[in-house]
Amino acid sequence: PSPLQRSGGPGHSDCSPLPLPAGHLPALRTQDEGTISKPQQIITHLRKQKYNADYDLSATQSADTLAFVSLLEEKLLPVLIHTFWVDAKNYVEHTRKWYAETIPFPLNFFLPNAMHKRHLERLQLMWGDDYMEDEEKLEKELYREARECLTLLSQRLGSQKFFFGDSPASLDALVFSRLAPLLKAKLPNGKLQQHLKSLQNLCNYCTSILSLYFPWDRGDPLTGAPRAAGTDGSEAEEDPHKRRKQLLSVLVGLAAMLGYAFLSGIVSIQRGSVGPAGRQPVTLEEEEEEEEE
Amino acid sequence: MCNLPIRVICRANAEYMSPSGKVPFIHVGNQVVSELGPIVQFVKAKGHSLSDGLDEVQKAEMKAYMELVNNMLLTAELYLQWCDDVTVEEITHPRYGSPYPWPLNRILSYQKQWEVRRKMKAIGWAGKTLEQVLEDVDQCCQALSQRLGTQPYFFNKQPTELDALVFGHLFTILTTQLITDELSEKVKNYSNLTAFCRRIEQQYFEGHDKDSCTVSVQSSKKSSLLK
């Protein structure tokens, strides 16, 4: 949503990833052209509607934008994807939970996993098996380059309010969109995050943009970002995976019971002949399940 | 550009010799260092650097522009060589497979093509048409041209790694024979870029013997970009 806010365009952030073109975020739902999902296409669409955050930039500044965008996408973005989606601890304890809480049933069971697989594959193709298998090398070289990228951004920003002076441009939107999740998310494994936090001007930059353009998300916006889930109150606290595990174990138990019952002849399929011994435990399980929900 | 003595050698198995699988790489004493970034670091560690005179903001800009060149120009070159069917059939396959006998030449070049296409898919370039790729190249050249302006080098008086990298790519684009001239035409649209290439070529490459000292560290990149 940030480029929308920037150019004063109409928009409100919708935290539901449905309906998605093949599960891609970000997605912009428009009146005329359906749902657009690639960031570049979203920007082009907005420009056609006469919302352009880069209108006042000089030629050199536009050139710089292109260069810094490349820097971000090449050096920082893959490592961000790794931090959120591939790093085992972060993925299991934070990212998967985060998405599963927001995405409505039943997609919350398999959409995060699908996204995880897609990101993993993409990183494997970009970096090669070398890096994926050797954690130390990955950490040393790629994370170092990402940290360097953050430092470079900090140096370029200096003490200015935005990258090109006093009013924000599309580069600001992109930088913010990459940095803000990293800054605010509660990651268990946060090496990159720590480096970002040590760059004071970037932290101030993110916080000021948050308060300027996202005033409804006070405090810790991103842990509360699933606003839809927030309204459900205590349900949001429940770990959906625990429930899923319970459900699965109940189903497996049921299947085992029934299978045994049929095989050993306790229960037969003829009408009128009841096998109470086999049925009883089954109904008990069902009641238990209902109570839990 | 650093005035270091080097020899450029072309080998068919250069990719396999390189520790990371990528060219260019340099072989110094008993060390092998591949890819531009590490090579620059290596040379810097030995006390030679082109970018010492830059301030922090300029260094940030230099890195960003180098990424832009890698992101756009390099990928466009790969796309044109391996994803454009006509070029692949008539130029790339014969050239890539030329050191090997049949059927190895076809097998290796198909393997490489498959690898490059997978990578293109991963970064989202597989769905692009040739026109879109050329459009991206044009945008990139426009950005470079605007950044260069009327200066002799990107950071005014002295050449830096960015100049070397840009020269390497642009020179190759301008001098490599392809099916059509569309790619080199895009670069030729920007007269300051062609003047820039000519200037560097004259200063660092002409009037010297093949084996003599003052050859840019980047020239090895030039010859191996064709792979």
Side-chain angles (χ1 to χ4, degrees):
Chain A
S2 32
L4 283 172
Q5 255 90 352
R6 288 315 161 60
S7 8
H12 62 94
S13 59
D14 183 351
C15 294
S16 156
L18 284 181
L20 287 181
H24 286 279
L25 288 171
L28 178 69
R29 224 174 291 163
T30 65
Q31 280 168 333
D32 319 310
E33 295 180 31
T35 315
I36 312 178
S37 73
K38 294 222 173 82
Q40 201 46 51
Q41 288 172 353
I42 293 179
I43 292 180
T44 316
H45 174 83
L46 287 174
R47 288 200 178 158
K48 278 198 220 151
Q49 311 284 325
K50 311 253 197 281
Y51 293 111
N52 188 350
D54 288 343
Y55 199 66
D56 294 324
L57 292 185
S58 72
T60 318
Q61 287 172 328
S62 298
D64 283 350
T65 303
L66 211 57
F68 277 96
V69 165
S70 293
L71 183 68
L72 276 177
E73 302 298 281
E74 283 294 307
K75 294 288 172 191
L76 188 61
L77 181 61
V79 179
L80 278 180
I81 292 179
H82 186 271
T83 302
F84 277 91
W85 288 95
V86 180
D87 181 286
K89 213 155 175 235
N90 284 343
Y91 172 62
V92 169
E93 291 181 29
H94 175 265
T95 315
R96 192 168 65 183
K97 207 165 86 154
W98 203 26
Y99 275 81
E101 277 167 8
T102 331
I103 303 174
F105 179 89
L107 283 173
N108 61 336
F109 287 141
F110 55 89
L111 203 55
N113 272 331
M115 289 169 87
H116 165 75
K117 272 201 202 114
R118 207 176 51 226
H119 285 130
L120 186 60
E121 204 183 87
R122 183 174 160 185
L123 287 184
Q124 245 159 0
L125 281 173
M126 277 179 79
W127 288 342
D129 289 321
D130 238 11
Y131 283 112
M132 299 307 284
E133 281 157 23
D134 190 347
E135 279 288 329
E136 223 183 276
K137 195 172 172 193
L138 188 107
E139 156 73 31
K140 207 170 116 202
E141 294 178 17
L142 298 172
Y143 272 76
R144 181 177 51 89
E145 287 187 351
R147 284 193 287 266
E148 200 190 318
C149 178
L150 289 174
T151 315
L152 289 174
L153 281 175
S154 173
Q155 282 161 355
R156 180 67 179 76
L157 180 66
S159 51
Q160 296 173 108
K161 195 162 174 223
F162 295 106
F163 276 96
F164 297 118
D166 282 334
S167 58
S170 57
L171 181 63
D172 298 285
L174 187 71
V175 171
F176 171 75
S177 67
R178 300 286 177 232
L179 295 187
L182 184 63
L183 188 63
K184 293 289 185 177
K186 290 190 169 60
L187 292 174
N189 210 358
K191 290 167 281 207
L192 196 60
Q193 192 176 45
Q194 277 160 17
H195 185 79
L196 176 59
K197 288 191 176 157
S198 73
L199 297 165
Q200 201 48 47
N201 65 344
L202 286 182
C203 296
N204 294 342
Y205 173 76
C206 288
T207 337
S208 80
I209 292 182
L210 267 172
S211 58
L212 270 176
Y213 294 102
F214 296 91
W216 57 80
D217 284 333
R218 284 272 166 234
D220 231 332
L222 286 145
T223 48
R227 281 186 304 146
T231 55
D232 291 343
S234 57
E235 234 181 81
E237 302 297 358
E238 253 180 48
D239 185 348
H241 294 293
K242 190 172 163 217
R243 231 183 329 125
R244 177 169 65 169
K245 282 181 200 146
Q246 283 172 343
L247 191 60
L248 273 174
S249 58
V250 161
L251 287 173
V252 168
L254 257 178
M257 292 282 187
L258 281 175
Y260 178 69
F262 277 117
L263 284 171
S264 59
I266 300 177
V267 176
S268 67
I269 322 171
Q270 298 156 10
R271 286 211 185 277
S273 89
V274 182
R279 289 247 182 246
Q280 290 265 280
V282 173
T283 32
L284 267 176
E285 292 277 12
E286 276 171 8
E287 277 167 9
E288 248 175 52
E289 187 193 334
E290 266 157 46
E291 266 168 21
E292 275 165 0
E293 305 202 297
Chain B
M1 287 180 182
C2 290
N3 282 332
L4 294 171
I6 71 162
R7 257 188 325 152
V8 179
I9 305 176
C10 295
R11 287 264 197 276
N13 58 343
E15 277 179 311
Y16 303 105
M17 282 201 275
S18 155
S20 71
K22 297 206 172 107
V23 285
F25 66 88
I26 57 173
H27 180 201
V28 179
N30 59 352
Q31 284 179 296
V32 182
V33 183
S34 67
E35 293 188 67
L36 181 61
I39 291 178
V40 168
Q41 298 279 24
F42 179 81
V43 171
K44 194 170 178 179
K46 302 285 181 188
H48 298 272
S49 171
L50 292 175
S51 51
D52 279 340
L54 300 181
D55 67 33
E56 298 298 345
V57 173
Q58 285 176 317
K59 278 195 185 150
E61 283 175 3
M62 186 183 84
K63 284 266 156 81
Y65 275 94
M66 286 173 80
E67 275 317 314
L68 176 67
V69 171
N70 271 334
N71 198 357
M72 295 254 185
L73 287 185
L74 179 58
T75 320
E77 286 159 11
L78 282 174
Y79 180 94
L80 200 59
Q81 284 186 74
W82 294 102
C83 300
D84 177 49
D85 294 322
V86 178
T87 315
V88 166
E89 243 342 281
E90 296 201 19
I91 299 200
T92 319
H93 273 321
R95 192 177 59 203
Y96 192 76
S98 60
Y100 310 105
W102 191 88
L104 196 58
N105 56 352
R106 295 302 269 183
I107 295 175
L108 286 179
S109 55
Y110 275 120
Q111 195 181 46
K112 177 77 179 174
Q113 182 180 17
W114 184 73
E115 201 185 293
V116 172
R117 284 198 179 180
R118 267 178 81 211
K119 187 154 180 225
M120 290 289 158
K121 210 167 149 198
I123 57 177
W125 276 60
K128 291 198 180 184
T129 61
L130 189 58
E131 282 70 40
Q132 283 169 328
V133 169
L134 290 174
E135 183 56 46
D136 285 340
V137 170
D138 189 51
Q139 248 187 9
C140 178
C141 290
Q142 192 182 35
L144 288 173
S145 174
Q146 275 158 2
R147 190 67 180 79
L148 182 63
T150 48
Q151 302 170 116
Y153 299 108
F154 279 94
F155 291 98
N156 208 7
K157 301 268 178 9
Q158 295 299 326
T160 57
E161 288 90 6
L162 177 62
D163 299 278
L165 181 65
V166 171
F167 171 73
H169 280 283
L170 293 185
F171 186 81
T172 313
I173 292 178
L174 289 170
T175 54
T176 307
Q177 279 268 347
L178 290 174
I179 308 278
T180 64
D181 283 331
E182 284 170 318
L183 191 60
S184 55
E185 285 305 315
K186 290 287 175 192
V187 176
K188 285 183 191 158
N189 281 336
Y190 299 97
S191 56
N192 62 346
L193 290 181
T194 41
F196 168 79
C197 289
R198 206 161 294 129
R199 194 182 315 123
I200 294 194
E201 192 191 355
Q202 279 168 352
Q203 196 165 3
Y204 294 100
F205 290 89
E206 283 174 11
H208 293 291
D209 299 332
K210 283 209 184 120
D211 286 326
S212 85
C213 338
T214 41
V215 178
S216 162
V217 178
Q218 298 314 315
S219 66
S220 56
K221 186 172 181 63
K222 184 164 61 95
S223 56
S224 27
L225 261 177
L226 300 176
K227 292 230 193 293

